[in-house]
Amino acid sequence: MKRIISYLAFVAVMILAFTACSKKEEGTTNNFRIKRGTNVSHWLSQNNEDRGEARRLHIQEDDFARLDSLGFDFVRLPIDEVQFWDEEGNKLPEAWELMTNAINWAEKHHLRTIVDLHIIRSHYFNAVNEGGGDANTLFTSEKAQQDLINMWYQLSDVLKGYSVDSVAYEFMNEPVAEDHEQWNQLIAKVHKALREREPQRTLVIGSNMWQSYGTIKYLKVPENDKNIILSFHYYNPMILTHYGAWWTPIGKYTGKVNYPGVLVSKEDYEAASDSVKAVIDENKFTTEEWNIDKIRADFKDAIEAAKKYNLQLFCGEWGVYEPVDRELAYKWTKDMLTVFDEFNIAWTTWCYDADFGFWDQKKHDFKDKGLVDLLMASKGLEKEEAK
């Protein structure tokens, strides 16, 4: 009899413990805390060349050890559908192994990870700019939306074993929907699907139209979910950050850029081609003052949205193209970091080792140590409070 009573008491305790755990999962905030990071880009995303040994050797454990030693506390890891699934939807094992290797290395070296589904077959953020906007079927196709959810089901099956304090999901990068409500409806659908499987995992959700700071006011955030991070991207002024970038219209400008102040002088404007003048006029580069106050003003809606929902704010992409004059690059970067620190905005630079990066994988050395020093002079992640 005593054994039966003891057994029943044990069962009762286990039920209470399970109930408490379930309530915690549904209603508490996890400990996915971030501040200074970088994008490990052009490896498992936007990389059409490296496969096999070349891709395997491109990013290794020492890269994560380096980021930790420099003072970064997390990474954003972009991944593309074409690298993880073939056209029939079959998993491509090597990419999955590389992804889990990266997360394991990040954990080993005290770095948290945001897994970012960067490009999918039904949606590419630059398709509109490159004249292929019709290829983006995501917002008009129920099948494409279910395919996105199914991809995350498979990712969740592999990643759910990682602590919610260590790994977060960004279920899509830079949405470009014709109507903001199309993106809001998809957010609700994917959020519901993921929450049924992982109720406490941190989800990173960005605004429509390339994760713009200007559209975050239209974002509808799922209610009563504190394990969400709001995200926006920022590369303004593009005439500075993308100076000489061949893939953008403003990259064709060859005159001088000033920062802070009015970006383009009247003389340089007159010397530009008509097509470049049109871009300059559209962005008011000859009339508006660009400085730290302009950056603060641009961030205003994003900061207010984070306050409204009581969520952390995260700038997932920002940076300066490698050919840009370093003095200008550092001035802009310093102003960005100042505003990030003022409003406790987490960030990941674009990027670690590609054409906006600070590390040269081929030479295995810094290509811009001055940029790293500037980044690490900013406010870092505060120490955990004693519990």
Side-chain angles (χ1 to χ4, degrees):
M1 188 66 175
K2 287 182 179 180
R3 288 184 178 178
I4 294 174
I5 293 173
S6 297
Y7 174 75
L8 291 174
F10 171 77
V11 171
V13 169
M14 292 303 294
I15 290 173
L16 288 172
F18 177 78
T19 302
C21 181
S22 298
K23 288 181 178 178
K24 180 180 179 182
E25 284 190 348
E26 291 172 0
T28 61
T29 304
N30 64 39
N31 194 37
F32 190 85
R33 300 175 65 246
I34 53 175
K35 186 60 173 71
R36 300 191 300 206
T38 191
N39 280 270
V40 182
S41 66
H42 296 86
W43 178 43
L44 299 177
S45 171
Q46 295 178 289
N47 177 3
N48 298 321
E49 299 174 2
D50 293 343
R51 292 295 186 272
E53 193 69 3
R55 184 172 61 173
R56 183 174 292 277
L57 293 176
H58 182 73
I59 295 292
Q60 292 285 292
E61 181 178 346
D62 66 326
D63 295 295
F64 296 90
R66 180 176 303 109
L67 292 171
D68 175 37
S69 67
L70 289 172
F72 292 95
D73 58 80
F74 76 113
V75 295
R76 182 173 182 249
L77 182 62
I79 66 173
D80 286 355
E81 178 184 355
V82 295
Q83 294 214 35
F84 282 74
W85 294 271
D86 65 20
E87 292 186 359
E88 283 71 46
N90 301 307
K91 292 167 86 171
L92 301 171
E94 185 181 80
W96 292 80
E97 180 186 351
L98 295 177
M99 175 182 67
T100 53
N101 285 347
I103 296 171
N104 291 337
W105 290 331
E107 280 194 334
K108 180 179 178 179
H109 296 286
H110 317 105
L111 301 168
R112 292 179 168 97
T113 303
I114 295 174
V115 177
D116 154 48
L117 190 50
H118 207 68
I119 301 173
I120 59 179
R121 287 184 171 95
S122 62
H123 183 277
Y124 171 42
F125 52 86
N126 261 347
V128 176
N129 293 334
E130 295 175 6
D134 292 342
N136 281 350
T137 61
L138 179 64
F139 297 107
T140 57
S141 167
E142 289 289 334
K143 180 184 181 302
Q145 294 182 12
Q146 188 59 49
D147 286 345
L148 173 62
I149 291 171
N150 290 340
M151 281 187 270
W152 273 107
Y153 282 161
Q154 293 181 57
L155 285 163
S156 174
D157 287 343
V158 172
L159 302 176
K160 64 186 178 185
Y162 290 99
S163 168
V164 294
D165 297 340
S166 178
V167 175
Y169 303 161
E170 184 169 355
F171 56 78
M172 207 180 85
N173 170 71
E174 294 196 352
V176 186
E178 290 185 5
D179 188 285
H180 301 309
E181 195 56 30
Q182 290 177 309
W183 173 230
N184 289 329
Q185 290 172 5
L186 183 57
I187 288 172
K189 188 180 295 187
V190 180
H191 174 269
K192 182 176 184 293
L194 281 173
R195 280 293 175 252
E196 289 173 352
R197 293 193 168 211
E198 297 195 54
Q200 205 180 349
R201 180 73 59 184
T202 292
L203 303 179
V204 177
I205 299 176
S207 48
N208 189 31
M209 302 306 288
W210 301 280
Q211 237 138 309
S212 169
Y213 64 92
T215 59
I216 203 164
K217 59 189 174 185
Y218 304 113
L219 187 65
K220 291 182 180 177
V221 179
E223 296 181 357
N224 303 318
D225 188 342
K226 296 305 178 185
N227 292 315
I228 289 175
I229 293 176
L230 296 185
S231 172
F232 71 104
H233 295 173
Y234 192 86
Y235 289 102
N236 286 351
M238 290 278 286
I239 197 170
L240 187 160
T241 65
H242 284 63
Y243 187 87
W246 55 267
W247 64 92
T248 65
I250 199 60
K252 296 181 175 63
Y253 174 72
T254 58
K256 183 180 178 181
V257 177
N258 307 293
Y259 184 89
V262 175
L263 296 164
V264 179
S265 69
K266 292 181 179 179
E267 292 76 16
D268 285 313
Y269 173 80
E270 292 300 333
S273 67
D274 288 343
S275 61
V276 171
K277 282 180 181 177
V279 179
I280 291 174
D281 290 339
E282 180 183 354
N283 292 278
K284 302 178 181 179
F285 290 150
T286 59
T287 57
E288 284 192 348
E289 290 266 347
W290 280 83
N291 51 37
I292 192 171
D293 291 329
K294 181 73 167 70
I295 294 171
R296 285 194 190 97
D298 282 351
F299 285 11
K300 182 175 179 290
D301 286 345
I303 293 166
E304 289 183 354
K307 288 181 178 178
K308 173 184 175 182
Y309 293 106
N310 192 26
L311 298 173
Q312 182 168 16
L313 186 59
F314 166 50
C315 185
E317 291 185 23
W318 66 288
V320 182
Y321 189 42
E322 188 176 336
V324 174
D325 177 81
R326 289 298 91 183
E327 183 179 354
L328 283 178
Y330 294 165
K331 286 179 179 179
W332 179 81
T333 298
K334 186 175 181 180
D335 283 350
M336 290 284 289
L337 292 169
T338 298
V339 180
F340 288 151
D341 286 350
E342 283 178 4
F343 297 98
N344 195 29
I345 300 171
W347 49 263
T348 42
T349 63
W350 191 269
C351 50
Y352 172 55
D353 70 316
D355 49 9
F356 281 63
F358 55 82
W359 181 256
D360 190 321
Q361 287 287 39
K362 292 181 179 178
K363 296 180 180 178
H364 208 68
D365 197 2
F366 290 103
K367 59 183 176 183
D368 194 344
K369 186 59 165 61
L371 176 60
V372 177
D373 293 341
L374 187 57
L375 294 172
M376 292 304 104
S378 67
K379 180 181 176 182
L381 187 63
E382 296 177 0
K383 293 181 179 179
E384 300 287 347
E385 295 180 359
K387 296 183 180 180

